[in-house]
Amino acid sequence: MAKVNVQHATIIGVGLLGGSIGLAIRRRFPKAVVAGVGRRKSSLALAIRHKCIHEAFLDAAEPVRRSDLVILATPVGAFEKHLRAIAPVLKPGAMVTDVGSTKAEVVRVAERICGRGGAFVGSHPMAGSENKGPAFATTDLLNGALCIVTPTKHTRPAEAGRDALAGTGDANASHGPGGA
């Protein structure tokens, strides 16, 4: 795997999984700034209080412009809307990934919006809890969890080799079928 260096990350959807990823990024990359994007100020304030993120936004454009890494951690049904909003402002060389449990349609949509050979590499960490929300986020939620990474034949080799979630140092990356 290529070396991952995160200076600024944006997590869209800072619930249990997004919050846990934020904590893991903060631990692995102490100098990185982690931004959270959500729909409710109260949820974002909770994510800041629990140190999942440094800064909070209701709109993704501003933090995404600065981000090396963007993680979609909302319900899968919202991914297309988020990808359409962030694609025009993605920083050159930025990587976009997700934590969704389905891949074929997500990857098709991402390639259509971000372009084939673009910045998106799908992933699915096999982790979770019966709890939800940033109050239950932990730095070790992904420890030892399998993370299925789904590059396609269109994924740039450099992107396929630097799995964003494995870059947190918590999940073991396993490349899934490339034809998603």
Side-chain angles (χ1 to χ4, degrees):
M1 172 187 3
K3 184 176 181 182
V4 176
N5 184 23
V6 177
Q7 294 177 11
H8 194 284
T10 296
I11 302 168
I12 301 174
V14 192
L16 173 70
L17 213 47
S20 295
I21 291 168
L23 289 169
I25 291 170
R26 290 185 66 168
R27 183 185 69 221
R28 175 76 188 273
F29 305 102
K31 294 180 180 178
V33 174
V34 180
V37 178
R39 294 179 298 152
R40 293 183 303 278
K41 288 181 182 179
S42 59
S43 296
L44 291 166
L46 192 59
I48 288 175
R49 189 171 328 124
H50 287 277
K51 301 191 184 317
C52 301
I53 57 175
H54 294 99
E55 50 189 21
F57 297 86
L58 296 173
D59 182 308
E62 182 182 337
V64 166
R65 277 187 182 91
R66 299 178 276 144
S67 292
D68 309 298
L69 171 62
V70 179
I71 299 170
L72 300 176
T74 63
V76 172
F79 285 5
E80 183 170 0
K81 172 184 79 165
H82 294 305
L83 286 167
R84 287 188 186 287
I86 67 172
V89 296
L90 279 173
K91 175 178 160 181
M95 177 184 225
V96 180
T97 191
D98 73 297
V99 299
S101 59
T102 62
K103 284 288 143 290
E105 183 61 21
V106 168
V107 171
R108 273 194 291 279
V109 167
E111 284 187 341
R112 188 177 72 242
I113 295 170
C114 296
R116 289 184 165 190
F120 185 84
V121 179
S123 61
H124 178 207
M126 305 297 285
S129 165
E130 67 278 1
N131 298 310
K132 65 181 189 173
F136 295 100
T138 65
T139 57
D140 62 355
L141 183 69
L142 300 175
N143 281 356
L146 178 66
C147 181
I148 300 169
V149 181
T150 58
T152 71
K153 64 184 178 183
H154 305 292
T155 305
R156 295 183 309 239
E159 300 301 326
R162 65 173 191 147
D163 167 46
L165 295 177
T168 65
D170 294 323
N172 301 311
S174 172
H175 290 273

